[in-house]
Amino acid sequence: MAAPLKVCIVGSGNWGSAIARIIGTNAQKLQHFATAVKMWVYEEMVNDKKLSEIINTEHENVKYLPGYKLPKNVVAVPQLRDAAEGADLLVFVVPHQFIRKLCDEMVGCVSEKARGITLIKGIDEGPEGLKLISDIIREKMGIDISVLMGANIANEVAAEKFCESTIGSKVLENGLLFKELLQTPNFRITVVDDADTVELCGALKNIVAVGAGFCDGLQCGDNTKAAVIRLGLMEMIAFAKLFSKDDSVSSATFLESCGVADLITTCYGGRNRRVAEAFAKTGKSIEELEKEMLNGQKLQGPLTSAEVYHILKQKDLVDKFPLFTAVYQICFEGKPVQDMITCLQSHPEHL
C-alpha cells in the first residue's frame, strides 16, 4: 500500500483556518492522507504570545478565525520550508500579492511529484499581460496545480453551513484527489476541467463586489445591485474569453459555484463589499479602511481592479470594460463614487 500523503497548508488567515478545519478532520478519517497536517503560519504576536504557539496550544486561530476550534492534528509551523518539507499535497491560501516570494522560498524542499491546489483569489501582471496565480506556482515549483473557487465565505464554512465549491483541474485525477481531501456533507465540490476560467472567476468577482459596495454606500437598493451583478458577470465572461490561452472557456463554468454563486455571495457579503460601502460613505482611503476594518486581513478587489486595468490598457481595451474601469478609477484615480451609477447607465447592451 502507498504511503499516506502528507498535506501542507500554506497560509493560516481567515479562509486558510476555515479550510484547515475541514482538512484536519478529513485527514483523521481517510487512510491515504497522513494524519498530521502542517499549516504554515505567518508569525505575529497576539496578546504577547506567538500566534503559532496559541494555535498549537489552544487549537484556535484567535486572530483570524476566533470562536472555531482547529483539529488537534493541524500543527502550526512558523518556518515555511519546515512546513512544506516533504509535502505531497500543498494547499495555497495566502493573499495573492505574496505568492511569488513564498514560492521562491519553497523551491527545493518540495518534490516535483507533489501536487498543489490554490484557493487564492487574484491575478498577476506579467510582461505579456495576464498571469494566473496557478501559472506562477506551476512555473516556480514545477508541480501540477488545481484551483478551488466558490461561494465560500470563510466564517460560514467554519460554522459548517452548507455551501458548494468548484475545483478546476487540468489533470482530472488530481482534482478528484483534492475533492476527497476537501469535501464534506456541508462543503460539496464539483470538479471541472476549465481550470483557468474557474480561477479567473474567483479573481474578477472581487472587482464586481467593490462596485456593489459602492452602490450600497450610495443607498441605491437591490435593483441597482442586481444590475451591477449582471453587468459584472458579462464583463467577467468577456474578459475570460479575451484572455483564455486556448479558447477553451465554457459558458457552463460560469453557472458553477465559482461563477454566478460566488459573485452573488461576494456582492452581498464579504469584505470587498463591506469596505467599498464604507469608502462611499466616509470618503476615507481604501488603505485606511483596510487597516480599520479588517484586523490584518488583506483586501483583494481594489488590487485586482488595478491589475486588470493595466492589462486592459496595455491591450487598448479599457472602453470595452466600463464597470471594471469605473471601480479602478474610483479606487485609485479620485473619480467620484457616483461614477459607478454613470457607468451602469451607459453600459453597452452587448460586450
Side-chain angles (χ1 to χ4, degrees):
M1 187 178 145
L5 299 166
K6 293 180 188 159
V7 182
C8 167
I9 303 168
V10 180
S12 57
N14 184 238
W15 186 211
S17 299
I19 217 72
R21 279 170 55 83
I22 290 176
I23 291 173
T25 304
N26 282 351
Q28 285 172 323
K29 287 189 214 157
L30 302 168
Q31 286 181 342
H32 52 274
F33 301 113
T35 307
V37 172
K38 290 182 180 175
M39 177 170 76
W40 173 65
V41 172
Y42 175 75
E43 193 69 282
E44 52 190 309
M45 300 303 287
V46 179
N47 302 329
D48 299 325
K49 276 184 170 170
K50 289 179 177 172
L51 183 56
S52 62
E53 285 176 13
I54 295 172
I55 291 171
N56 287 334
T57 52
E58 296 173 29
H59 306 291
E60 184 181 337
N61 188 334
V62 294
K63 179 159 187 186
Y64 295 110
L65 193 68
Y68 296 100
K69 289 292 180 192
L70 294 168
K72 290 183 178 167
N73 57 318
V74 173
V75 181
V77 181
Q79 295 299 327
L80 180 58
R81 285 184 72 88
D82 293 347
E85 191 75 55
D88 300 297
L89 302 176
L90 292 153
V91 179
F92 293 90
V93 53
V94 291
H96 79 273
Q97 53 269 45
F98 302 135
I99 194 63
R100 287 176 184 274
K101 180 176 167 288
L102 295 174
C103 284
D104 288 340
E105 269 184 59
M106 277 186 282
V107 168
C109 69
V110 174
S111 144
E112 285 182 8
K113 293 198 186 90
R115 286 160 280 189
I117 190 165
T118 166
L119 282 60
I120 298 169
K121 294 181 171 174
I123 54 172
D124 200 72
E125 286 171 76
E128 297 85 46
L130 178 72
K131 194 94 168 156
L132 295 171
I133 302 302
S134 60
D135 288 337
I136 294 170
I137 302 169
R138 198 176 284 114
E139 285 167 21
K140 283 186 172 286
M141 301 190 64
I143 62 175
D144 183 67
I145 293 285
S146 301
V147 298
L148 178 137
M149 304 282 151
N152 306 146
I153 288 176
N155 286 52
E156 294 180 18
V157 173
E160 296 177 34
K161 294 178 176 175
F162 177 82
C163 69
E164 300 175 310
S165 204
T166 312
I167 287 178
S169 197
K170 295 178 183 188
V171 180
L172 187 64
E173 66 181 284
N174 292 348
L176 293 170
L177 178 65
F178 279 111
K179 174 176 177 170
E180 198 177 350
L181 177 67
L182 292 162
Q183 182 160 267
T184 73
N186 284 320
F187 191 69
R188 187 162 168 262
I189 295 170
T190 305
V191 181
V192 300
D193 61 4
D194 189 6
D196 290 354
T197 306
V198 172
E199 188 169 358
L200 271 176
C201 282
L204 297 173
K205 56 98 199 190
N206 281 331
I207 305 176
V208 185
V210 172
F214 290 155
C215 290
D216 286 343
L218 294 167
Q219 297 184 304
C220 295
D222 285 336
N223 295 341
T224 307
K225 190 151 41 168
V228 169
I229 292 170
R230 188 186 79 80
L231 296 169
L233 182 61
M234 276 172 62
E235 291 195 14
M236 285 167 62
I237 294 169
F239 189 93
K241 286 187 170 163
L242 265 173
F243 289 93
S244 81
K245 294 189 276 288
D246 50 11
D247 297 326
S248 64
V249 174
S250 161
S251 297
T253 306
F254 292 93
L255 298 176
E256 296 289 348
S257 183
C258 61
V260 69
D262 195 9
L263 181 60
I264 291 167
T265 200
T266 312
C267 287
Y268 279 91
R271 64 188 88 152
N272 288 285
R273 188 217 63 79
R274 204 170 75 226
V275 172
E277 180 182 25
F279 177 91
K281 284 181 171 170
T282 65
K284 291 179 179 176
S285 74
I286 294 285
E287 291 77 14
E288 278 177 90
L289 291 165
E290 186 180 62
K291 283 196 183 78
E292 271 177 35
M293 296 174 69
L294 296 185
N295 186 34
Q297 289 175 267
K298 292 291 176 204
L299 205 59
Q300 300 297 312
L303 193 57
T304 305
S305 81
E307 285 154 349
V308 163
Y309 180 79
H310 296 145
I311 290 163
L312 292 173
K313 201 158 185 203
Q314 205 180 333
K315 307 269 186 197
D316 205 19
L317 290 167
V318 167
D319 294 347
K320 294 244 186 294
F321 292 87
L323 190 146
F324 287 176
T325 300
V327 169
Y328 166 75
Q329 290 177 333
I330 293 165
C331 286
F332 296 104
E333 292 188 346
K335 292 283 174 81
V337 180
Q338 196 63 37
D339 274 16
M340 198 65 229
I341 309 305
T342 316
C343 129
L344 301 177
Q345 291 165 339
S346 58
H347 203 286
E349 285 178 36
H350 304 286
L351 291 177

